[in-house]
Amino acid sequence: PTFFRKHRDFIPLQLKYDISNREKLRGDMITDAKTVEEDAIYLIGYSGSTKNGFHIIGRCWRLLHKNKYKIENRTDRKFLIGVNDYSMFDNEGNKPVFTYIASAQVNSLKSIPNGMKAFALPPSKYVVFYFKGKNEDSLQPVVDYIYREWFPNSTCVFNESNLYDFVKYGEDVDENGESEIQFWVPVV
């Protein structure tokens, strides 16, 4: 307890049970939450703006799955990464507009296949939420839980200099079609 009081990090593994939000907020899917420090994260993949709709997200993923074998020097072949880049965020007509990136993590940005782009996420401290699910399912209930319930009840503070979050989707699926999914949020 003394260690945690000095560091002031409160990472609740289970928050209060609120029956009124049970159908909407899916915190029960989260199996673990940890803080981690990461150096810069280098990515290669496809990106697009959600300005004309969220269909761009599926388009980026289809292109990545079709061409991921062309990406050299991947650091972790067990995961692909989806980044929500809010640096140019706009809530145009009550429809959120941001840049989405479907990518693979690499150890350098030297070799970029035709049609793909390179991205670099700066060094940061993150809160990482672990759970299992189907990669094609919507993460909205889990994301709502994290941002609307978990963060307000923790002492973690968003890193306003790093306006993004990302998801690591496991490539290995079990007999139920589920894989490990990690939701990463930059904090200070």
Side-chain angles (χ1 to χ4, degrees), residues 14-27:
Q14 185 174 356
L15 298 178
K16 298 177 286 186
Y17 184 80
D18 181 356
I19 195 143
S20 64
N21 281 330
R22 202 69 201 143
E23 292 303 313
K24 297 179 213 151
L25 302 177
R26 294 298 310 268

PDB file of all heavy atoms in Angstrom, residues 14-27:
ATOM      1  N   GLN A  14     -11.615  -3.810 -10.786  1.00  0.00           N
ATOM      2  CA  GLN A  14     -13.058  -3.968 -10.857  1.00  0.00           C
ATOM      3  C   GLN A  14     -13.692  -2.776 -10.150  1.00  0.00           C
ATOM      4  O   GLN A  14     -13.416  -2.516  -8.988  1.00  0.00           O
ATOM      5  CB  GLN A  14     -13.492  -5.260 -10.189  1.00  0.00           C
ATOM      6  CG  GLN A  14     -14.956  -5.519 -10.330  1.00  0.00           C
ATOM      7  CD  GLN A  14     -15.316  -6.873  -9.779  1.00  0.00           C
ATOM      8  OE1 GLN A  14     -14.471  -7.641  -9.361  1.00  0.00           O
ATOM      9  NE2 GLN A  14     -16.590  -7.167  -9.767  1.00  0.00           N
ATOM     10  N   LEU A  15     -14.530  -2.063 -10.880  1.00  0.00           N
ATOM     11  CA  LEU A  15     -15.199  -0.908 -10.309  1.00  0.00           C
ATOM     12  C   LEU A  15     -16.562  -1.309  -9.761  1.00  0.00           C
ATOM     13  O   LEU A  15     -16.991  -2.452  -9.887  1.00  0.00           O
ATOM     14  CB  LEU A  15     -15.353   0.179 -11.365  1.00  0.00           C
ATOM     15  CG  LEU A  15     -14.041   0.730 -11.917  1.00  0.00           C
ATOM     16  CD1 LEU A  15     -14.318   1.757 -12.991  1.00  0.00           C
ATOM     17  CD2 LEU A  15     -13.213   1.346 -10.823  1.00  0.00           C
ATOM     18  N   LYS A  16     -17.253  -0.330  -9.174  1.00  0.00           N
ATOM     19  CA  LYS A  16     -18.576  -0.580  -8.619  1.00  0.00           C
ATOM     20  C   LYS A  16     -19.494  -1.186  -9.681  1.00  0.00           C
ATOM     21  O   LYS A  16     -19.464  -0.803 -10.839  1.00  0.00           O
ATOM     22  CB  LYS A  16     -19.200   0.723  -8.136  1.00  0.00           C
ATOM     23  CG  LYS A  16     -18.453   1.407  -7.027  1.00  0.00           C
ATOM     24  CD  LYS A  16     -19.117   2.712  -6.693  1.00  0.00           C
ATOM     25  CE  LYS A  16     -18.789   3.685  -7.806  1.00  0.00           C
ATOM     26  NZ  LYS A  16     -19.215   5.030  -7.609  1.00  0.00           N
ATOM     27  N   TYR A  17     -20.323  -2.102  -9.272  1.00  0.00           N
ATOM     28  CA  TYR A  17     -21.310  -2.705 -10.164  1.00  0.00           C
ATOM     29  C   TYR A  17     -22.511  -1.776 -10.248  1.00  0.00           C
ATOM     30  O   TYR A  17     -23.116  -1.438  -9.252  1.00  0.00           O
ATOM     31  CB  TYR A  17     -21.722  -4.073  -9.623  1.00  0.00           C
ATOM     32  CG  TYR A  17     -22.673  -4.804 -10.528  1.00  0.00           C
ATOM     33  CD1 TYR A  17     -22.195  -5.487 -11.631  1.00  0.00           C
ATOM     34  CD2 TYR A  17     -24.035  -4.795 -10.290  1.00  0.00           C
ATOM     35  CE1 TYR A  17     -23.053  -6.164 -12.471  1.00  0.00           C
ATOM     36  CE2 TYR A  17     -24.898  -5.459 -11.128  1.00  0.00           C
ATOM     37  CZ  TYR A  17     -24.409  -6.144 -12.215  1.00  0.00           C
ATOM     38  OH  TYR A  17     -25.263  -6.802 -13.046  1.00  0.00           O
ATOM     39  N   ASP A  18     -22.827  -1.332 -11.436  1.00  0.00           N
ATOM     40  CA  ASP A  18     -23.952  -0.410 -11.648  1.00  0.00           C
ATOM     41  C   ASP A  18     -24.964  -1.094 -12.552  1.00  0.00           C
ATOM     42  O   ASP A  18     -24.776  -1.170 -13.765  1.00  0.00           O
ATOM     43  CB  ASP A  18     -23.436   0.885 -12.284  1.00  0.00           C
ATOM     44  CG  ASP A  18     -24.523   1.913 -12.511  1.00  0.00           C
ATOM     45  OD1 ASP A  18     -25.708   1.601 -12.253  1.00  0.00           O
ATOM     46  OD2 ASP A  18     -24.186   3.010 -12.956  1.00  0.00           O
ATOM     47  N   ILE A  19     -26.028  -1.591 -11.969  1.00  0.00           N
ATOM     48  CA  ILE A  19     -26.993  -2.375 -12.738  1.00  0.00           C
ATOM     49  C   ILE A  19     -27.679  -1.547 -13.820  1.00  0.00           C
ATOM     50  O   ILE A  19     -28.044  -2.067 -14.864  1.00  0.00           O
ATOM     51  CB  ILE A  19     -28.023  -3.048 -11.813  1.00  0.00           C
ATOM     52  CG1 ILE A  19     -28.777  -4.126 -12.570  1.00  0.00           C
ATOM     53  CG2 ILE A  19     -28.978  -2.051 -11.221  1.00  0.00           C
ATOM     54  CD1 ILE A  19     -29.086  -5.312 -11.741  1.00  0.00           C
ATOM     55  N   SER A  20     -27.815  -0.237 -13.640  1.00  0.00           N
ATOM     56  CA  SER A  20     -28.499   0.590 -14.643  1.00  0.00           C
ATOM     57  C   SER A  20     -27.698   0.710 -15.931  1.00  0.00           C
ATOM     58  O   SER A  20     -28.259   0.934 -16.991  1.00  0.00           O
ATOM     59  CB  SER A  20     -28.804   1.982 -14.077  1.00  0.00           C
ATOM     60  OG  SER A  20     -27.588   2.646 -13.792  1.00  0.00           O
ATOM     61  N   ASN A  21     -26.374   0.565 -15.864  1.00  0.00           N
ATOM     62  CA  ASN A  21     -25.539   0.669 -17.063  1.00  0.00           C
ATOM     63  C   ASN A  21     -25.058  -0.687 -17.561  1.00  0.00           C
ATOM     64  O   ASN A  21     -24.249  -0.750 -18.472  1.00  0.00           O
ATOM     65  CB  ASN A  21     -24.310   1.542 -16.777  1.00  0.00           C
ATOM     66  CG  ASN A  21     -24.648   3.001 -16.822  1.00  0.00           C
ATOM     67  OD1 ASN A  21     -25.536   3.410 -17.543  1.00  0.00           O
ATOM     68  ND2 ASN A  21     -23.933   3.783 -16.038  1.00  0.00           N
ATOM     69  N   ARG A  22     -25.522  -1.757 -17.000  1.00  0.00           N
ATOM     70  CA  ARG A  22     -24.985  -3.083 -17.304  1.00  0.00           C
ATOM     71  C   ARG A  22     -25.069  -3.437 -18.777  1.00  0.00           C
ATOM     72  O   ARG A  22     -24.171  -4.022 -19.334  1.00  0.00           O
ATOM     73  CB  ARG A  22     -25.727  -4.136 -16.470  1.00  0.00           C
ATOM     74  CG  ARG A  22     -24.917  -5.365 -16.334  1.00  0.00           C
ATOM     75  CD  ARG A  22     -23.739  -5.028 -15.450  1.00  0.00           C
ATOM     76  NE  ARG A  22     -22.695  -5.982 -15.672  1.00  0.00           N
ATOM     77  CZ  ARG A  22     -21.424  -5.679 -15.674  1.00  0.00           C
ATOM     78  NH1 ARG A  22     -21.022  -4.462 -15.501  1.00  0.00           N
ATOM     79  NH2 ARG A  22     -20.532  -6.586 -15.853  1.00  0.00           N
ATOM     80  N   GLU A  23     -26.152  -3.093 -19.445  1.00  0.00           N
ATOM     81  CA  GLU A  23     -26.294  -3.447 -20.859  1.00  0.00           C
ATOM     82  C   GLU A  23     -25.454  -2.541 -21.751  1.00  0.00           C
ATOM     83  O   GLU A  23     -25.084  -2.921 -22.842  1.00  0.00           O
ATOM     84  CB  GLU A  23     -27.765  -3.362 -21.277  1.00  0.00           C
ATOM     85  CG  GLU A  23     -28.642  -4.418 -20.626  1.00  0.00           C
ATOM     86  CD  GLU A  23     -28.158  -5.838 -20.918  1.00  0.00           C
ATOM     87  OE1 GLU A  23     -27.876  -6.141 -22.084  1.00  0.00           O
ATOM     88  OE2 GLU A  23     -28.067  -6.641 -19.982  1.00  0.00           O
ATOM     89  N   LYS A  24     -25.171  -1.334 -21.307  1.00  0.00           N
ATOM     90  CA  LYS A  24     -24.474  -0.359 -22.133  1.00  0.00           C
ATOM     91  C   LYS A  24     -22.957  -0.412 -21.978  1.00  0.00           C
ATOM     92  O   LYS A  24     -22.234  -0.297 -22.945  1.00  0.00           O
ATOM     93  CB  LYS A  24     -24.955   1.046 -21.796  1.00  0.00           C
ATOM     94  CG  LYS A  24     -26.408   1.275 -22.080  1.00  0.00           C
ATOM     95  CD  LYS A  24     -26.779   2.678 -21.691  1.00  0.00           C
ATOM     96  CE  LYS A  24     -28.205   2.692 -21.201  1.00  0.00           C
ATOM     97  NZ  LYS A  24     -28.488   3.702 -20.253  1.00  0.00           N
ATOM     98  N   LEU A  25     -22.464  -0.528 -20.760  1.00  0.00           N
ATOM     99  CA  LEU A  25     -21.033  -0.454 -20.501  1.00  0.00           C
ATOM    100  C   LEU A  25     -20.497  -1.839 -20.195  1.00  0.00           C
ATOM    101  O   LEU A  25     -20.925  -2.483 -19.247  1.00  0.00           O
ATOM    102  CB  LEU A  25     -20.758   0.504 -19.334  1.00  0.00           C
ATOM    103  CG  LEU A  25     -21.265   1.926 -19.539  1.00  0.00           C
ATOM    104  CD1 LEU A  25     -21.016   2.759 -18.296  1.00  0.00           C
ATOM    105  CD2 LEU A  25     -20.598   2.567 -20.733  1.00  0.00           C
ATOM    106  N   ARG A  26     -19.535  -2.312 -20.992  1.00  0.00           N
ATOM    107  CA  ARG A  26     -19.071  -3.685 -20.909  1.00  0.00           C
ATOM    108  C   ARG A  26     -17.731  -3.813 -20.217  1.00  0.00           C
ATOM    109  O   ARG A  26     -16.779  -4.315 -20.790  1.00  0.00           O
ATOM    110  CB  ARG A  26     -19.015  -4.290 -22.299  1.00  0.00           C
ATOM    111  CG  ARG A  26     -20.360  -4.446 -22.976  1.00  0.00           C
ATOM    112  CD  ARG A  26     -21.286  -5.388 -22.212  1.00  0.00           C
ATOM    113  NE  ARG A  26     -20.666  -6.642 -21.865  1.00  0.00           N
ATOM    114  CZ  ARG A  26     -20.719  -7.737 -22.602  1.00  0.00           C
ATOM    115  NH1 ARG A  26     -21.369  -7.756 -23.714  1.00  0.00           N
ATOM    116  NH2 ARG A  26     -20.099  -8.834 -22.206  1.00  0.00           N
ATOM    117  N   GLY A  27     -17.635  -3.376 -18.987  1.00  0.00           N
ATOM    118  CA  GLY A  27     -16.407  -3.540 -18.234  1.00  0.00           C
ATOM    119  C   GLY A  27     -16.132  -4.974 -17.847  1.00  0.00           C
ATOM    120  O   GLY A  27     -15.004  -5.341 -17.554  1.00  0.00           O
TER     121      GLY A  27
END
